[in-house]
Amino acid sequence: MQISEYIIELQDVHIYAHHGVMPQERTIGAWFTIDIELTMNDWRCADNDEIAGTVSYADVYDIICNEMQKPSDLLEHVCKRISDSIYSAFAQVEGIEIRLCKDTPPMGGDRLKSAVTIRSHR
């Protein structure tokens, strides 16, 4: 069997943070949901069962939490920071797709969400 693509995902990561253009968003904060997909350039870990060839979910989660605690006006900026930090930490990550959703944006809609998705490659 030939592996054609190796992807690591974290889904439905919920984090409370202070992002937004409006002052109350930066002061009060809101819940955000993050889905992230990492495309790997080395999948030997599937054969040798060694963590050294892959990326720890816990380490990716820590990077996400750290970047989410830095307030930003734009979700695009947060996504870029998260991606840059992951690329810096893990040479085996070839591509990233990250979707950052503000669960309750201040627009008066019931169950309204807003989201940004960024895809990047080395």
Side-chain angles (χ1 to χ4, degrees), residues 19-117:
H19 305 302
V21 175
M22 300 199 301
Q24 71 268 24
E25 294 178 286
R26 300 290 285 271
T27 302
I28 296 168
W31 283 100
F32 294 83
T33 302
I34 299 166
D35 296 317
I36 190 164
E37 181 178 288
L38 309 177
T39 303
M40 309 299 287
N41 62 15
D42 181 355
W43 44 78
R44 286 177 288 173
C45 63
D47 289 325
N48 63 25
D49 197 27
E50 295 177 7
I51 189 124
T54 189
V55 171
S56 164
Y57 303 115
D59 292 341
V60 173
Y61 179 79
D62 287 345
I63 288 171
I64 291 169
C65 289
N66 183 50
E67 293 300 334
M68 285 295 291
Q69 295 313 307
K70 301 173 187 172
S72 292
D73 287 344
L74 302 178
L75 300 182
E76 293 88 340
H77 183 69
V78 180
C79 289
K80 173 97 170 38
R81 283 199 329 261
I82 291 170
S83 297
D84 287 346
S85 293
I86 290 171
Y87 284 129
S88 292
F90 306 110
Q92 61 270 53
V93 174
E94 185 66 28
I96 298 174
E97 178 172 317
I98 183 168
R99 180 175 189 266
L100 176 53
C101 178
K102 185 179 290 187
D103 296 342
T104 53
M107 292 185 259
D110 184 36
R111 308 271 303 158
L112 179 70
K113 294 183 177 188
S114 60
V116 169
T117 299

